[in-house]
Amino acid sequence: MGQVVLKGINKFYDSVHAVKDVNLQIRDKEFVVFVGPSGCGKTTTLRMIAGLEAISSGDISIDGSVVNGLAPMDRDIAMVFQNYALYPHMSVYDNMAFGLKMRKFTRPEIDRRVRDAADILGIGELLKRKPRQLSGGQRQRVALGRAIVRHPRVFLFDEPLSNLDAKLRVQMRVELKKLHLRLGTTAIYVTHDQVEAMTLGDRVVVMKDGVVQQVGEPLELYNRPANKFVAGFIGSPTMNFATVTVTEANGSLIAENAGLRIRLPDGTARRLRGHIGHKVTLGVRPEDLTVAGAADPDHPCFDAVIEVVEQLGSEILLDMKVGQDVMVASVEPTVRVNVRDKLRLAMRPSSLHVFDVKTEEAI
Amino acid sequence: MIEGAIWRKWAFFYLPMALFLLFLLFPFYWMVITSVRPDGELYRPWNSVNYNPFWTWNPTWDHVRYLFEETLFAAWLWNTMFIALVSTAISLVCGVFAGYALSRLNFPFAGSLGTGIFITYLVPQTLLFIPLAEIIRNYRLGDTPWSLILTYPTFLIPFCTWLMMGYFKAVPKELEECARIDGASRWQAMLYIVIPVAIPGILSAGIFAFTLSWNEFIYALVFLSSPEQKTVPVGVTSELIRGDVFFWGPLMAGALLGSIPVAIAYSFFVEHYVAGLTGSVKG
């Protein structure tokens, strides 16, 4: 079992309010990812769950019992640190066995568990080495091994992949996912990389300035971001935003600014009835833009001037100027365009996002 | 290294290096040569025939023999060793714990306390020995090794604490946090993780402390009076300079033999000791 509940968690450092009223229920066997820019309070939250940081107010409970006052060792959790934190003076075997020795496991039991974990992670032949004789990826595996030998109720990961190079990071990401499927232990994972968050998490918690912005499954965050911050943070390249004024003409709603004038699709228009004459922020993802023409003539279209063409092989990223705004479109690799070309683009009507200008909440 | 022509290397590296070595090693050479030179040569006037101050053709062990047979040099060596080892041990234990506490436990005024401890190290011994002499007399410790074993830590503990503070700060905090999650108490995490990782730092603090107490002069001079209690630096200078007569041969032999244990200690731990000073902890 490994159910973690955060209830009204706050953290103050002197006058700084680092974590603000976080409420979250993490189910048993769930993989939850905290994601956000640096300084958003995600690591502090994780450290409070681990018991390394005191809670200013609120309750953290694991499997129904409040653990606020418990020492880290008594919470039955395991944590993997960003810099691995392998004990440099111990062999890989001893690193993995340390937690079991501290908990007075018998020698054969320790041996069995360490070898099991080493088999799972494919580090069986490294057991006698010292951490400094290992590569980055191997150290990462040992750090994971040290966490899994104990069979804890909850795994905590503090940006465990950010010290690895890009290729290894992708590989370890997949292995982490497999490991979680195999062990089924509840995992809480902190990262600033939205790709890691989207690929690993059963649910993702987006944080900013100590406040939880949205909690949801990866696709839910992608398709229905709760506010402009989540919309901009999730997805790569980031969502395009344009501030437009909503007006009514011939019974349909028009969104326009200096370089943009589009007829809003019905679904969006219905939501914006109350905003006629006001400004709103329009958001559309680069991958929801297509070169107009073959597409449905009903799609809202606008003109853009190409500034930069980025060939990625599988797609082309077009950096464009649309009136005063800069936008990015991700189009088919077959499209032939040049810098300074004028291009007419269409947006998929269902994937248009609208945000309040002031509160930045989704409308 | 210096790049470019060979002469540049000689002019800017080998030559200054050779001069430096000459300057550094000459006193030791002088000590060695004086300690094996017969008295007849030592006290010859500088303008006598065949006078060669830098070499001798008649080396002798007489001075060393004199040192061990006619003076209490063996006892002084033993005293110095005993006092240096015990005071170093006391200072290391205190310094390691104090350094750990000051660098790792967050308590009010930890920073200013650390600075305060360092300031006590800066108080000159030549001032401190006056009140200490009073204390030593009141506790009737005068003329015993304990007078030094208990007073040396007054400058060794601040020194070790300061050195260990710096070293503990260089040990990643995560190591300890990980140990505490793994099931170790704060005490166990320090004992099994932080201290083993800090061994190079502890060794260098130990060597420094040992050298400082081995070479210490003023306290030993003030607190010890009977010849059989003296340490090497005090014994050699007080028993082999009688009035204005310098027994140069035994004096230099004593100085030479007295510096050998420290040299051995340094060479034995030199690798750890360099690692300790550069604070290298690899994760």
Side-chain angles (χ1 to χ4, degrees):
Chain A
M1 281 296 282
Q3 191 190 42
V4 182
V5 180
L6 310 185
K7 209 193 244 166
I9 297 298
N10 280 285
K11 177 71 188 178
F12 293 92
Y13 289 110
D14 297 326
S15 58
V16 182
H17 197 171
V19 174
K20 296 169 190 163
D21 193 34
V22 172
N23 289 287
L24 189 66
Q25 290 213 9
I26 298 167
R27 293 183 288 271
D28 185 33
K29 296 187 171 39
E30 198 175 21
F31 199 123
V32 169
V33 180
F34 282 75
V35 68
S38 23
C40 71
K42 55 191 193 298
T43 295
T44 308
T45 309
L46 190 78
R47 290 172 59 86
M48 286 193 284
I49 299 173
L52 297 171
E53 208 78 64
I55 305 164
S56 301
S57 71
D59 282 326
I60 292 178
S61 44
I62 300 177
D63 287 339
S65 54
V66 176
V67 296
N68 290 9
L70 283 188
M73 58 186 284
D74 299 323
R75 296 189 182 198
D76 199 9
I77 47 163
M79 185 156 168
V80 178
F81 290 85
Q82 181 174 358
N83 62 2
Y84 319 134
L86 299 181
Y87 311 131
H89 58 297
M90 293 184 190
S91 66
V92 168
Y93 184 96
D94 289 333
N95 260 284
M96 288 165 71
F98 182 77
L100 300 172
K101 281 183 192 156
M102 286 289 107
R103 283 161 207 273
K104 307 262 186 295
F105 278 78
T106 61
R107 203 169 275 271
E109 174 68 5
I110 293 176
D111 196 62
R112 192 183 61 74
R113 285 205 186 187
V114 169
R115 288 185 196 283
D116 279 356
D119 278 348
I120 292 175
L121 294 161
I123 50 173
E125 69 279 19
L126 303 177
L127 289 175
K128 286 203 178 75
R129 295 212 199 155
K130 288 278 174 69
R132 65 172 170 278
Q133 298 166 304
L134 302 177
S135 69
Q138 290 169 332
R139 288 180 196 188
Q140 181 61 67
R141 275 172 225 265
V142 176
L144 284 175
R146 195 168 55 178
I148 65 178
V149 285
R150 293 223 331 266
H151 306 168
R153 286 190 291 186
V154 185
F155 284 134
L156 305 177
F157 298 96
D158 185 9
E159 310 216 12
L161 303 184
S162 53
N163 281 7
L164 300 176
D165 63 58
K167 201 173 166 189
L168 204 52
R169 197 179 310 158
V170 174
Q171 194 187 328
M172 285 305 291
R173 201 170 73 201
V174 176
E175 287 193 30
L176 264 178
K177 187 82 185 168
K178 279 189 197 157
L179 193 66
H180 178 249
L181 292 175
R182 175 167 177 173
L183 301 174
T185 309
T186 311
I188 307 176
Y189 187 104
V190 161
T191 178
H192 60 263
D193 180 358
Q194 58 97 14
V195 179
E196 269 174 37
M198 297 289 281
T199 49
L200 284 172
D202 294 326
R203 274 195 305 159
V204 178
V205 180
V206 184
M207 287 185 81
K208 182 198 171 199
D209 299 335
V211 179
V212 171
Q213 305 289 313
Q214 189 174 4
V215 183
E217 288 169 20
L219 282 184
E220 190 181 334
L221 298 188
Y222 180 84
N223 292 326
R224 288 191 301 281
N227 57 37
K228 192 179 159 191
F229 174 79
V230 176
F233 196 82
I234 301 290
S236 171
T238 53
M239 185 185 274
N240 300 300
F241 295 108
T243 306
V244 293
T245 311
V246 183
T247 54
E248 191 171 16
N250 309 328
S252 52
L253 290 194
I254 308 288
E256 65 181 331
N257 67 12
L260 194 71
R261 184 184 160 84
I262 54 171
R263 196 178 68 81
L264 291 170
D266 295 343
T268 315
R270 223 169 294 131
R271 278 182 277 151
L272 286 178
R273 276 288 162 204
H275 291 73
I276 295 172
H278 295 289
K279 286 195 163 158
V280 293
T281 303
L282 214 58
V284 61
R285 295 196 183 276
E287 50 272 33
D288 291 327
L289 293 174
T290 50
V291 179
D296 191 330
D298 289 352
H299 287 191
C301 291
F302 60 93
D303 291 317
V305 180
I306 313 289
E307 291 193 315
V308 177
V309 178
E310 294 174 277
Q311 297 274 5
L312 298 185
S314 61
E315 57 182 336
I316 299 175
L317 295 184
L318 303 174
D319 288 70
M320 316 164 301
K321 194 116 182 148
V322 181
Q324 300 300 313
D325 301 303
V326 175
M327 286 197 181
V328 178
S330 161
V331 298
E332 292 284 303
T334 49
V335 173
R336 287 282 162 266
V337 282
N338 293 310
V339 173
R340 281 188 290 280
D341 277 358
K342 216 171 167 196
L343 197 66
R344 193 159 177 80
L345 289 162
M347 45 179 98
R348 205 167 291 144
S350 58
S351 53
L352 206 56
H353 303 270
V354 207
F355 306 96
D356 191 289
V357 173
K358 270 206 202 86
T359 64
E360 301 197 340
E361 296 297 318
I363 300 171
Chain B
M1 274 307 277
I2 292 161
E3 305 283 322
I6 297 274
W7 70 267
R8 285 175 62 96
K9 227 176 209 173
W10 279 96
F12 295 111
F13 184 71
Y14 291 120
L15 196 66
M17 182 80 148
L19 286 174
F20 177 70
L21 276 180
L22 194 71
F23 185 73
L24 197 76
L25 293 179
F26 183 74
F28 291 94
Y29 174 72
W30 194 248
M31 205 154 72
V32 173
I33 207 76
T34 310
S35 62
V36 295
R37 187 181 276 252
D39 277 335
E41 279 185 30
L42 280 175
Y43 298 104
R44 197 158 30 173
W46 65 271
N47 52 2
S48 55
V49 195
N50 286 339
Y51 180 68
N52 182 0
F54 299 110
W55 195 244
T56 176
W57 294 107
N58 311 299
T60 170
W61 291 111
D62 282 353
H63 302 312
V64 179
R65 204 173 300 128
Y66 179 87
L67 205 58
F68 282 98
E69 287 173 1
E70 304 295 322
T71 71
L72 295 163
F73 188 75
W76 300 338
L77 263 182
W78 163 250
N79 289 343
T80 318
M81 183 72 82
F82 175 66
I83 291 166
L85 282 179
V86 177
S87 55
T88 300
I90 293 174
S91 312
L92 262 189
V93 171
C94 297
V96 165
F97 287 140
Y100 178 86
L102 287 170
S103 63
R104 278 298 160 83
L105 307 180
N106 292 321
F107 56 92
F109 309 115
S112 37
L113 197 61
T115 317
I117 286 177
F118 188 61
I119 287 173
T120 63
Y121 178 64
L122 299 178
V123 179
Q125 289 176 17
T126 40
L127 286 181
L128 214 54
F129 85 85
I130 303 169
L132 281 177
E134 182 84 12
I135 296 171
I136 293 296
R137 204 195 53 193
N138 289 346
Y139 284 90
R140 299 181 200 288
L141 291 171
D143 209 20
T144 64
W146 295 102
S147 62
L148 298 186
I149 289 171
L150 295 178
T151 47
Y152 285 175
T154 57
F155 59 91
L156 293 181
I157 290 178
F159 173 79
C160 291
T161 304
W162 194 254
L163 205 78
M164 289 320 297
M165 252 171 85
Y167 203 83
F168 283 135
K169 271 182 192 155
V171 175
K173 206 170 53 162
E174 287 85 357
L175 282 185
E176 207 179 338
E177 289 177 344
C178 194
R180 291 180 59 205
I181 290 177
D182 264 353
S185 62
R186 180 134 219 167
W187 181 253
Q188 287 171 316
M190 184 181 84
L191 226 52
Y192 296 134
I193 306 297
V194 181
I195 288 184
V197 169
I199 289 268
I202 295 173
L203 273 182
S204 40
I207 288 177
F208 268 123
F210 181 78
T211 314
L212 282 175
S213 38
W214 183 274
N215 293 337
E216 206 283 331
F217 187 77
I218 184 117
Y219 288 178
L221 182 70
V222 174
F223 300 147
L224 304 176
S225 44
S226 46
E228 64 274 12
Q229 293 291 354
K230 285 181 176 171
T231 61
V232 170
V234 175
V236 166
T237 46
S238 62
E239 304 292 317
L240 292 171
I241 304 172
R242 297 179 192 148
D244 56 355
V245 182
F246 287 71
F247 288 73
W248 281 120
L251 205 55
M252 285 298 153
L256 184 69
L257 293 178
S259 51
I260 284 174
V262 176
I264 291 174
Y266 267 84
S267 58
F268 193 64
F269 293 118
V270 68
E271 275 176 33
H272 288 295
Y273 153 80
V274 171
L277 285 186
T278 50
S280 61
V281 176
K282 289 177 190 130

